[in-house]
Amino acid sequence: MWGSGCGACPTCRGRLAEVGGGLWCERCRSAVPVVDGIAFFGERGRDPVAFATDDAPRFREGFVALSEARRRRGHREPYAWFRPFNESSRALEPLLPILEEALIGGGRILDLWNRTGWTGAWLAGLFPDVEVVSIWEGDTDQLGYGGFLEALPSAGRPDNLTLAFAHPGDPLPFVDDSFRVVHGLDTLHRYPEAALLDEVLRVGDADAVVVFPHIHLTNSEPDPWFERGCTQRHGREWGEFLDARLAGDRRRAWVMSEARAYTERASFAVRDERDTEHYNGLVLIADEAWEGRTLAAPPLPIDSSSATLFVNPLVDIDLTGGAVSVDDARPGSVVEYMTARHAVCVDRIGLAPDLTSRQLQLVVHARAGLTLGQIADRLDATVEGLREPVADLVDRGLAVVAEVAPATAASQRTYVDLRPEGDDFAALWDVLPARYGDGALLAADDGSIFTVEDVAVVTDGLRGWFADRGLVEGDAIALMAEPHPEYLMTIWAAWRAGLVVVPLPTRSTPAAVQAIRCEITPKAVFVDDRHRHRFRDDAVVVFDPVDLEAELAEEHFAVVVEPFLDAPPPPGADQGPDVAAAVLFTSGTTGEPKGVELTMRSLMHTSAGVADFAGLRHDDTLMSLSGFHTMSGLRNPSLVALRAGASVVVPGPDAQHGLGAAECVRRTGVSVLTAGPSFVSAIETQADRLPASRPLGALRLLLSTGSPLDPARAARFERSTGVRVGDYYGLTETGGFCAGSLPHAEADGSLGRALGAVVEVHVDGRRAAVGEVGEIRVSGPGIAGRYVGDAVMARHDGWIHTGDQGVVDERGTVRLLGRNDALLNNRVGERVSGAEIENAIRAHPGVASCTVATTAERGELRALVVAIPDAGREYLVADLRTRLHETLGPDKTPDRIDLVDRLPAP
């Protein structure tokens, strides 16, 4: 672009030529650096080569560090966060027909204020056949030099977009009459308006259309009032200023209400309204023939598979029932800040009716950054088939559809979720040095500490071994071992190499292991000494013994990796997030073990969800007691911690039982622990053997998963230990995380709130009403890819049908009732959940265990209850019956409740 005659020297206005990686002025011989296609006019006079080799990397590193600081503080810049939905952005839409007519026959667009990277990319998508030049003022604000270079590289920008930096006080670096359209969002009131307008009229040709969305008016004050900056004038003053500057020009200026342009996009009339009652204006400079014309914004690219659907961050959407709300009640929150300043946007949202199931699916996938085409594929639909629900979301102000480049879409998503890595493991790995610094990434129970640099050296060496053995992207490796730091490092190395990890349960039978190996055909096997005998006929890598004095054999991890530690590592895998990353073998929804293939998107999406759910911080230390062959056991230590910058502790061999795990937690300073309900039970029954003060050390949060946790037991655990308890739900097929409650006691037996996925109870394909029993179904980016082999995943229209029975309660949360095949008939022939009744019985403090069944002889519900010693057995049955009547009702209260010493064997 710069060689096409558009660029001009800001110093002398001489023409510029592209020479040696920069722009050179033919008149004054000054140089302008160009890096990755971006011209840095504010750095003119610098050596372009030195700027590219020395300064640009430093700017990139600075931006990565700044992004990490923002993520750590939870700092969201409001206007970057809200840019696609801001009325100052969308007020341009009804004027697009004027811009389209101006560009008939060719021409360029100049975008003057590309502060967040959005406006230039948006215009480039609206006008894909038109050259768009977009400038920002310098190394400042949300992106700066490093942000444009790092987050918006040329490989991720559209071909018709050219970027530049130019000081706002300098003349625009373009020759006269270069542009047919000038777009100056937030500029006319921000800079010296006379000089700015003179420059705009100079670089635009005689017929150029100029639009200044968003100028501050003093016509009225905001209600509720808030402070505004920059130049503020009455609309009449702005009009008089513009009229004087356009004297003798065949164009005229209109000062219009920005709010009207936003709300009347379908039938916007061009008329001057300098006395508007609104406090923000919109300026249009165009041929006077447009006066009185009624315009309609062109349709958004709803039919484009490459377009991105952005969800309005102002709204909170219930992903079970579809209710929409604006949570502006938290003082100091970004939502509260923006709703006070953009009431016109809030008014347009409309809080009724609730979203449909299909729209909820669109919302969760759009938040994950998928394009319309990708969403359609995930929902077994076509883009055309999604037109109606997408259009309704847009009409209600809940979403925007834009044809922007992937880098811009990813950057905008980062403003919302503060995760520049998105769902890309390679990008996550690249930010770890800034995220952890010299702090501990990985620690072992024996006190060993590994920094990011330490882990990178080992994983690079292991990747060299993979390449030497001929492993290529998509190959599988199997692992069977107790928790070990090298186990985690092997997983990370495999993902960096694009391999698929298959953790095997350590308690698997030889026949089961052989069946799995035949199904996945691993190209390498990693074990520990304890399980080496299971693979006598295989070449394996054995994790190093815990005893540092032990002699190492040629098959041990350190010996295998050592020859590759000093060699240049092979290039990292360039895989997308939708390729296979892991296979976990689970009983699934049919009771038969199946290999669930999990994509990196599934793992990355749910890992971010768990990190947010737990409120995980960079100063936390995370440990998981689940085996690596489980969803939580694999994902939580390998990804959840990395998403938050928390340290990972690998538990020692004594952590296999409750007291040993408690001691390990205290010894290693674990602050967040993930475990099954058995840990809660073990601590409760052996509480007298723990220290009276801070029995679990620095632990602040226990996340329970794997099976339902009794709310009463969780509450007792919280009271006795001072540790909060959370519980989350999700089958392996659903990504292992789709709903959760924290603290658990507040859920009162429900699954809690749907998180990162749509979680519904459905009956015959429709959303069940409150109180109606049906099957739980889940849809979202965390859904697994497929089953390995011939097994068919129960997935339809983007839904996983879990096989779990549930009911939506009055709060809108889902209560888990049990499996489809765990329903019982009561005496009047209704199907009721035995698990729901058993959970209610176990909630009684006098009950140790119980089971519920239907009697064969009379078809009655019968409960067998084992009481806790000294629990007042003579009153227990009557008390239980009263409680069950109150909580479940008479139809779910067992006809017989019998106390027994032990439950019958299953």
Side-chain angles (χ1 to χ4, degrees), residues 357-370:
S357 297
R358 184 59 110 190
Q359 287 176 322
L360 292 182
Q361 290 180 299
L362 287 167
V363 165
V364 295
H365 286 91
R367 284 174 172 169
L370 277 70

Side-chain angles (χ1 to χ4, degrees), residues 490-511:
T490 301
I491 291 171
W492 290 329
W495 285 341
R496 294 183 66 198
L499 306 180
V500 182
V501 299
V502 188
L504 304 178
T506 55
R507 297 185 180 181
S508 298
T509 64

Side-chain angles (χ1 to χ4, degrees), residues 378-525:
R378 301 276 299 189
L379 303 186
D380 304 320
T382 63
V383 174
E384 173 60 29
L386 299 177
R387 163 182 280 276
E388 184 176 344
V390 170
D392 181 64
L393 290 172
V394 173
D395 289 343
R396 294 173 59 181
L398 301 176
V400 165
V401 179
E403 191 79 64
V404 295
T408 302
S411 179
Q412 187 59 43
R413 179 187 172 192
T414 299
Y415 292 138
V416 176
D417 65 18
L418 299 179
R419 289 194 171 92
E421 64 268 23
D423 288 333
D424 185 337
F425 180 76
L428 172 62
W429 195 262
D430 287 343
V431 303
L432 294 187
R435 189 160 291 179
Y436 285 89
D438 295 330
L441 165 61
L442 178 62
D445 185 40
D446 64 3
S448 303
I449 298 293
F450 302 87
T451 65
V452 171
E453 184 177 358
D454 297 332
V455 172
V457 169
V458 175
T459 55
D460 282 345
L462 190 52
R463 289 195 300 126
W465 182 84
F466 289 148
D468 185 68
R469 291 291 298 265
L471 275 72
V472 298
E473 294 180 23
D475 284 343
I477 64 169
L479 306 97
M480 178 181 281
E482 302 302 328
H484 194 292
E486 290 167 357
Y487 200 135
L488 263 179
M489 287 191 273
T490 301
I491 291 171
W492 290 329
W495 285 341
R496 294 183 66 198
L499 306 180
V500 182
V501 299
V502 188
L504 304 178
T506 55
R507 297 185 180 181
S508 298
T509 64
V513 172
Q514 184 59 30
I516 291 173
R517 295 184 63 224
C518 289
E519 195 162 13
I520 62 169
T521 317
K523 297 297 180 66
V525 178

